[in-house]
Amino acid sequence: MKDTPEKWVATYEATTPEQLVDAYRCWADEYDRDTCQGMGYVGPGVAANLLDRYLESPRSRVLDAGCGTGLVGQAMSELGYSRIEAMDFSRDMLKVAEEKDVYGDIHHGDMNRRLAFDDNSYDATICVGALTYAHVGPEVFDEFVRITRPGGYICFTVRDGAYQEYGYRKRMVRLEADNAFRLKEMVDTDYLQKEDVTAKYCIYEVLEA
């Protein structure tokens, strides 16, 4: 990416969870400015609108997994959703997200481990920006299926390159074959407009076990 801030690069080059936490600690306060204004980050809004096309009601209970500074929650709130919960690995990013005042509950959690939510807890799970280099592995799809009720939706973005290299596609195909979820839509479109970067936006319906 031609004008990528050093702080963004640091998040992709982290080799341990501690390094990733430190990278986001240094970036939390400037994240929205650097990404939205500096790089034309449109992922949260595009994903929120995609999920909105499938959800039946703005009263749906939605988990924003890997919420960062709360840009997805903000976009969902602007669409009328009022039962949004936030979860992220970085407490510093969660603090910024909480200040946006769009989330009912704030959860600290690691998406590379079992999530601390009951089965079938949510009508939808949305994950924007976390399925990428040095962040969250493809095993999280199993957890998204577990915590999202049958008939609910999982919406997520995956950066090109990471989509193939990190095994996301392989895991998606396996879960489709196991009838865990069904692909409703996959779109390749803008992610960082000023950087000419696109991503895959996917939405799946969770099936009965």
Side-chain angles (χ1 to χ4, degrees):
M1 293 182 287
K2 52 182 179 295
D3 297 315
T4 304
E6 289 184 8
K7 291 176 182 177
W8 181 286
V9 175
T11 66
Y12 285 116
E13 293 183 345
T15 57
T16 67
E18 292 76 18
Q19 288 179 0
L20 191 60
V21 166
D22 286 343
Y24 278 116
R25 179 180 299 117
C26 294
W27 198 17
D29 290 338
E30 289 96 28
Y31 182 88
D32 289 2
R33 182 197 64 198
D34 288 349
T35 58
C36 297
Q37 298 173 34
M39 293 185 283
Y41 184 36
V42 296
V46 174
N49 278 285
L50 176 61
L51 179 58
D52 179 55
R53 294 210 300 269
Y54 288 87
L55 288 176
E56 295 179 358
S57 168
R59 291 290 299 161
S60 298
R61 187 184 183 196
V62 179
L63 177 67
D64 181 5
C67 67
T69 58
L71 294 171
V72 169
Q74 193 170 31
M76 295 292 294
S77 179
E78 290 170 358
L79 291 170
Y81 290 85
S82 58
R83 299 178 66 211
I84 319 164
E85 298 179 24
M87 180 188 69
D88 201 87
F89 187 51
S90 167
R91 295 187 188 276
D92 297 277
M93 299 286 271
L94 279 173
K95 181 180 179 181
V96 178
E98 188 170 11
E99 291 170 354
K100 287 185 168 63
D101 197 29
V102 296
Y103 296 106
D105 289 300
I106 304 289
H107 308 278
H108 177 252
D110 183 352
M111 287 195 289
N112 287 307
R113 300 178 180 272
R114 182 178 173 87
L115 303 180
F117 304 113
D118 292 336
D119 296 357
N120 307 327
S121 290
Y122 295 96
D123 298 305
T125 299
I126 185 168
C127 181
V128 177
L131 304 181
T132 188
Y133 301 102
H135 283 61
V136 179
E139 295 79 11
V140 76
F141 290 137
D142 299 69
E143 282 296 280
F144 289 168
V145 169
R146 182 183 66 79
I147 67 173
T148 306
R149 66 167 177 81
Y153 296 95
I154 300 169
C155 181
F156 57 88
T157 62
V158 183
R159 286 279 302 276
D160 285 323
Y163 178 72
Q164 295 84 6
E165 294 173 27
Y166 271 50
Y168 296 115
R169 179 57 183 161
K170 183 177 179 181
R171 197 76 168 202
M172 291 157 63
V173 169
R174 196 207 75 186
L175 288 169
E176 290 175 29
D178 290 345
N179 291 316
F181 61 18
R182 177 190 299 119
L183 181 65
K184 303 297 289 185
E185 193 170 348
M186 181 185 293
V187 181
D188 281 281
T189 192
D190 290 343
Y191 186 73
L192 300 170
Q193 286 184 327
K194 295 181 181 180
E195 300 285 306
D196 297 322
V197 173
T198 62
K200 287 179 169 59
Y201 295 77
C202 305
I203 186 158
Y204 279 86
E205 181 181 4
V206 177
L207 303 177
E208 292 281 355

